[in-house]
Amino acid sequence: MPANLGDRLRDVRKRRGMTQQELAHESGVSVSLIRKLEQGERQDARLETVRRLAASLRVPTMRLVVESVEDGASAATLDRWAAVRKALTAPLRDVAELDEPPTVEGVRDALSAAVPLFSGDRFAELRAVLPSLLRDADTVAHLDPRGHAVHVRLLQLTGWLLTQTRQFEAAEWCLRAALDGSADRLQGASTVNTMCWLLLRQGKLSEARELATQWADDTEPRLSRATPDELSAWGWLLLRLSAAAVRDNHEEEAEDALRLAYSAAVALGREFAPGEDFLRAFGPVTVTLKRTENAMILDRPDVVLKLAAKIPAAGFRPTSNNRNRHLLDVADAYARTRQYGPAVDTLTSIRDAAPEWLPNQSYARDILGRIVARRRTLTGDMRSLADTVGLPV
């Protein structure tokens, strides 16, 4: 098979008997981008763009995807987080040489204090505290059996953070270490949930579908007797399966997974976070947010706005992979329906709530880029947002 996206796109398009102009009209992707991809001037595109091309060509997205279609971390990002990555793989310290060896209780308290930094996307503070916390957690894990659980929990959170900041290789190492150290099936499912998200961000849709399917099958509870922890774990794996399937143009599979996830949410009856773990918070609102995300992937902005209007603001959690990701879909829906004012207002609200999160989102750059391209003049908010998300001048 051809070795790159452009070659695969050209070959499938020709097999379908379509011109570049016809594919552009059918998919909504510009002729210019299609031409650049096929001629090798562009080596990649956003996963959602590839999905639209594949859907118009009536093939799975993975038929066109060769490698990751999501950019990894920039050199500047890698440099900022270098101390954290170094701490992950640092040699185990000799406790006898430490003036004040860490204790399980002390590390547990430090981790509890750091959790709001993770859930609030407070990256600068995390860069300051994580290196020493990771080293201390590694130390107590080898000194005291009780320290093992603390270390695994920190690895889960750090893997999520590294995925968030697109440090994919380090994230994979971290999550595999957490999975290997999992004490039980539910703790493992929590880690696999993030591993599926990592695969999705890398454009590895088939791997994400297979992993989510395997673990969803293995963790499926009997609804009549399922615990909230079991429902949350199973529900999230189904949401990851749905996300992978819809991006790979398997709409029926995506919808089936969403329906099962909703049954788990109904059994819970409310938003629930096992052990107050924000990464595992699940319930009816979470499922609706993911249904909205699927609608945007399928380029149905009208459905997105209808669903968004029914979501209670009180149901949001202040985390990037729920509230803010949903609001990006809302901003995109406004932009695609030419409601540029509300789109900019929505992006501004995200920046106000998560100023360190938004600059890491290529999705935000794409949305704002389309708005700017359609405007003769830019408002002050638009110019400010363009600086925030790093929109090229």
Side-chain angles (χ1 to χ4, degrees):
M1 295 177 68
N4 59 60
L5 170 60
D7 289 344
R8 290 188 177 196
L9 175 61
R10 182 185 61 249
D11 287 0
V12 176
R13 176 180 60 77
K14 288 182 176 180
R15 286 286 299 275
R16 290 288 185 256
M18 298 176 71
T19 66
Q20 291 179 338
Q21 289 78 9
E22 288 170 337
L23 178 57
H25 177 75
E26 181 74 19
S27 66
V29 178
S30 71
V31 175
S32 172
L33 178 55
I34 293 172
R35 184 177 298 118
K36 287 178 180 178
L37 288 170
E38 292 191 0
Q39 292 178 353
E41 296 178 30
R42 280 277 300 271
Q43 300 301 314
D44 55 25
R46 274 181 53 81
L47 182 57
E48 283 75 6
T49 300
V50 179
R51 189 212 68 80
R52 292 165 67 187
L53 291 168
S56 299
L57 293 167
R58 303 188 304 283
V59 296
T61 306
M62 294 308 295
R63 177 65 178 80
L64 300 181
V65 172
V66 184
E67 297 176 347
S68 170
V69 294
E70 287 274 2
D71 293 335
S74 65
T77 296
L78 291 172
D79 183 62
R80 283 194 294 269
W81 292 95
V84 172
R85 296 194 308 276
K86 182 178 180 180
L88 279 172
T89 56
L92 185 63
R93 296 178 297 181
D94 185 346
V95 179
E97 296 180 357
L98 300 177
D99 293 333
E100 294 184 73
T103 64
V104 174
E105 291 75 15
V107 174
R108 185 185 292 121
D109 289 345
L111 175 56
S112 296
V115 167
L117 306 183
F118 285 99
S119 64
D121 300 308
R122 291 154 65 179
F123 295 160
E125 292 171 82
L126 282 170
R127 287 196 296 271
V129 303
L130 263 184
S132 61
L133 182 55
L134 284 165
R135 288 192 292 269
D136 287 349
D138 189 30
T139 300
V140 298
H142 288 81
L143 289 176
D144 188 326
R146 297 175 302 156
H148 181 74
V150 179
H151 189 217
V152 169
R153 175 58 177 150
L154 180 57
L155 288 174
Q156 287 179 324
L157 287 165
T158 304
W160 175 83
L161 172 69
L162 293 168
T163 301
Q164 180 71 273
T165 53
R166 301 177 181 275
Q167 300 174 78
F168 296 143
E169 185 176 349
E172 182 177 358
W173 184 95
C174 209
L175 292 169
R176 288 196 180 280
L179 184 59
D180 290 342
S182 296
D184 54 43
R185 179 172 52 91
L186 292 181
Q187 189 177 51
S190 177
T191 300
V192 169
N193 175 21
T194 303
M195 292 177 77
C196 290
W197 181 42
L198 169 62
L199 291 169
L200 286 170
R201 297 210 85 177
Q202 293 175 295
K204 298 178 179 179
L205 303 182
S206 295
E207 292 182 44
R209 286 174 65 206
E210 291 169 5
L211 185 62
T213 299
Q214 174 192 337
W215 276 78
D217 289 345
D218 290 346
T219 59
E220 181 177 359
R222 183 174 296 180
L223 292 181
S224 61
R225 63 174 70 170
T227 66
D229 287 42
E230 290 172 330
L231 291 170
S232 170
W234 184 54
W236 261 114
L237 291 166
L238 290 167
L239 291 180
R240 297 304 188 196
L241 169 57
S242 181
V246 76
R247 286 165 171 80
D248 205 15
N249 294 323
H250 295 279
E251 292 184 39
E252 290 186 8
E253 181 181 351
E255 183 58 32
D256 287 344
L258 267 182
R259 280 197 292 266
L260 287 172
Y262 186 68
S263 69
V266 170
L268 269 174
R270 59 186 174 87
E271 293 296 302
F272 174 77
E276 299 184 358
D277 182 355
F278 74 93
L279 291 182
R280 293 192 289 162
F282 178 79
V285 173
T286 298
V287 175
T288 302
L289 295 181
K290 295 304 178 182
R291 183 176 293 282
T292 304
E293 182 177 317
N294 282 10
M296 197 65 255
I297 294 296
L298 295 172
D299 200 21
R300 297 171 183 166
D302 56 326
V303 175
V304 171
L305 295 177
K306 287 180 182 178
L307 287 171
K310 299 177 182 179
I311 296 173
F316 281 138
R317 290 178 295 118
T319 57
S320 56
N321 61 332
N322 193 326
R323 177 184 184 275
N324 296 327
R325 176 59 175 78
H326 167 70
L327 290 177
L328 283 180
D329 285 328
V330 173
D332 195 14
Y334 278 133
R336 290 185 183 278
T337 54
R338 300 181 182 275
Q339 300 180 65
Y340 300 128
V344 171
D345 290 343
T346 303
L347 290 173
T348 301
S349 74
I350 299 172
R351 182 185 59 188
D352 293 343
E356 295 184 76
W357 179 83
L358 190 61
N360 289 280
Q361 309 308 311
S362 58
Y363 188 13
R365 285 191 290 277
D366 287 349
I367 296 168
L368 191 61
R370 282 187 275 107
I371 295 173
V372 168
R374 289 177 170 84
R375 298 276 301 192
R376 291 185 179 181
T377 60
L378 303 183
T379 65
D381 284 342
M382 291 178 185
R383 293 193 297 272
S384 178
L385 282 169
D387 292 338
T388 297
V389 302
L391 194 66
V393 178

